Amino acid sequence: MFSIISTKELKAHTIEMLLRRAQFYVEQEKAGTDQSLFTHNVEGTVVNLFFEPSTRTNLSFQMAANRLGLRTLDFTVETSSVRKGESVIDSLQTVNALGVDIAIVRHQLDWPALVSKEMFNMALVNAGSGTQEHPTQALLDALTMQQHFGRLRGLTITIVGDVLHSRVARSNAALLQTMGAKVQLAAPEEYKTSDIPGAVWVEFDQALVETDVIMMLRVQHERHKTISAIANYNDYYGLNQRRLEMLSKDAIILHPGPVNRGFEITDEVLLDSRCKILQQVRNGVAMRMAVLELCLQGGKHEKLVSA
Ligand code: CP
C-alpha cells in the first residue's frame, strides 16, 4: 500500500511525477476530454473520514474520485458511531475491514502519530492532521506555482501569518525545500514557531518586494485556546491595497482557504490578477486525482509517467 501522510516523506521524483500527472489532468480538463477515458486506469473504493470541517479538500477528493470512476462511501461525524465514542483508530479499522482501498483522513489531532500504516491493508491519505500536515494542499500549491513560473527550484516563497497553528505552512516548507525553493516565514511574535527547519524568519514588508510567492495563512481562531486576538491584524500582518503596491508585478498570491476576508486578506487582494486562490482550488481536483491514482497503483511511478 502506498500512503501519503507527510511531505517530509515525499522524494523529489515522486513530487515531480505527481506534478506531471496532475498537469496532464488539468490539460485534459481544459481540452474537454471525456472523463470516462480516465475511469479504466484504476479501480477501488474510497472514503473521506473528515472529523473536522472542510469544503475544498473534502469536495475535491470526492470530485477526483468520481472522475477516476472510483466507488465512494459516505461518512459524516454527525451520522457515524463517532457520536457514540468511536475513536479514529476504530473508525479506520472498521473501514479497513469493510474493504475500503483508500481512507482519506482529516482530524483535529495529529492522527498519524496514533496509528501505524502497517495496521491496515488500505492506503491512508492525510487530508489534514491537527497543526502538523496537509500534504495534498502543499502538492496543489506547488502545482499552482509551477504553472506560473515553470519551475520550483530557486523560487522564494514567503509564508505569512498564523504559522504556529498551520499544517499548510509545515507541509509546504518541507515540500518546497525538497524541490529546491527558498522558504521564508513572517508572523507576529504570537504566531511564530521554531519547528520548521530550513525556513528563515523575515520582516513581512521587506519580504514583499523580492518574493516570488506570498502565501497568506488563515488565522485559525478555533485553535487559539490561550492566545488573544491581535488588534488591527490586517494593518500589521494582512495583505491589503498598500502591500499589493509593494509586491512585484510578477509575484503570485496564494491562500489555502477559507479566507477571513478583511483580516489576513482584503477584498481588493482577491480581485488582483496576481491572486491565484481559485486556481489553487481547481488544481486541487487534478492533484488529488494524481494522488488517488498513485495510491491505487501502489506508488509505482512508472505506470503513470507515460500518460
Ligand atoms: N485548504 C483547505 O484545507 O480548505 P478546507 O478546510 O475547505 O478543506
Side-chain angles (χ1 to χ4, degrees):
M1 287 295 142
F2 183 82
S3 293
I4 294 192
I5 301 293
S6 160
T7 53
K8 295 188 192 86
E9 298 170 353
L10 290 177
K11 302 272 189 293
H13 67 271
T14 303
I15 297 167
E16 282 162 7
M17 185 280 305
L18 286 167
L19 290 170
R20 271 200 303 278
R21 187 64 174 170
Q23 184 59 31
F24 164 80
Y25 281 125
V26 167
E27 284 162 19
Q28 296 302 308
E29 175 72 13
K30 274 192 195 146
T33 305
D34 185 348
Q35 290 292 326
S36 65
L37 289 175
F38 308 132
T39 60
H40 62 275
N41 288 345
V42 282
E43 59 179 38
T45 302
V46 175
V47 65
N48 281 6
L49 297 179
F50 278 51
F51 298 83
E52 262 193 345
S54 166
T55 303
R56 289 149 203 80
T57 315
N58 193 350
L59 293 179
S60 62
F61 266 116
Q62 286 183 47
M63 190 162 258
N66 289 340
R67 287 190 178 170
L68 291 170
L70 304 175
R71 290 178 294 275
T72 54
L73 299 183
D74 288 334
F75 171 91
T76 61
V77 166
E78 289 69 28
T79 58
S80 74
S81 287
V82 175
R83 281 277 183 241
K84 296 184 253 178
E86 184 175 82
S87 70
V88 63
I89 299 172
D90 289 338
S91 298
L92 281 168
Q93 285 184 324
T94 300
V95 297
N96 187 43
L98 287 169
V100 160
D101 297 291
I102 307 179
I104 302 160
V105 186
R106 170 173 290 195
H107 202 283
Q108 57 276 18
L109 299 176
D110 182 17
W111 66 266
L114 306 174
V115 299
S116 156
K117 284 182 276 192
E118 288 67 41
M119 292 166 68
F120 310 105
N121 54 5
M122 63 181 179
L124 301 175
V125 176
N126 188 354
S129 49
T131 60
Q132 293 305 305
E133 283 273 2
H134 194 349
T136 60
Q137 179 70 43
L139 284 161
L140 73 89
D141 291 344
L143 178 61
T144 311
M145 293 178 223
Q146 180 147 293
Q147 286 168 344
H148 187 80
F149 296 102
R151 64 189 165 93
L152 297 173
R153 181 164 297 281
L155 293 182
T156 298
I157 294 96
T158 307
I159 304 176
V160 184
D162 190 358
V163 179
L164 175 64
H165 301 98
S166 180
R167 54 197 179 204
V168 173
R170 288 176 178 81
S171 283
N172 262 289
L175 183 149
L176 290 166
Q177 291 183 88
T178 297
M179 300 308 288
K182 177 180 173 188
V183 177
Q184 306 186 142
L185 305 169
E189 286 304 318
E190 294 91 327
Y191 300 162
K192 285 188 177 175
T193 180
S194 58
D195 68 346
I196 304 187
V200 290
W201 288 95
V202 293
E203 204 278 317
F204 185 18
D205 281 352
Q206 283 176 9
L208 276 171
V209 182
E210 292 188 352
T211 198
D212 297 303
V213 180
I214 279 285
M215 183 181 293
M216 301 304 296
L217 299 175
R218 183 172 72 83
V219 177
Q220 300 193 37
H221 297 289
E222 73 277 18
R223 298 192 207 275
H224 293 189
K225 304 236 169 5
T226 57
I227 302 177
S228 313
I230 298 175
N232 303 318
Y233 183 85
N234 186 263
D235 291 343
Y236 295 112
Y237 274 92
L239 203 52
N240 50 31
Q241 187 60 43
R242 179 178 77 79
R243 292 195 171 98
L244 275 182
E245 288 162 19
M246 296 162 71
L247 189 64
S248 157
K249 66 176 176 32
D250 298 322
I252 60 169
I253 300 161
L254 303 183
H255 187 302
V259 298
N260 292 312
R261 281 178 185 256
F263 207 75
E264 72 264 356
I265 206 159
T266 57
D267 286 352
E268 59 264 52
V269 178
L270 300 172
L271 298 173
D272 193 280
S273 61
R274 292 167 291 184
C275 181
K276 305 298 178 193
I277 294 176
L278 292 179
Q279 190 175 327
Q280 288 174 270
V281 175
R282 280 190 290 276
N283 283 335
V285 178
M287 179 51 78
R288 287 167 177 135
M289 288 174 79
V291 162
L292 294 177
E293 211 175 24
L294 184 63
C295 290
L296 289 168
Q297 301 267 23
K300 293 190 177 64
H301 307 155
E302 63 276 11
K303 290 193 180 170
L304 305 180
V305 173
S306 58

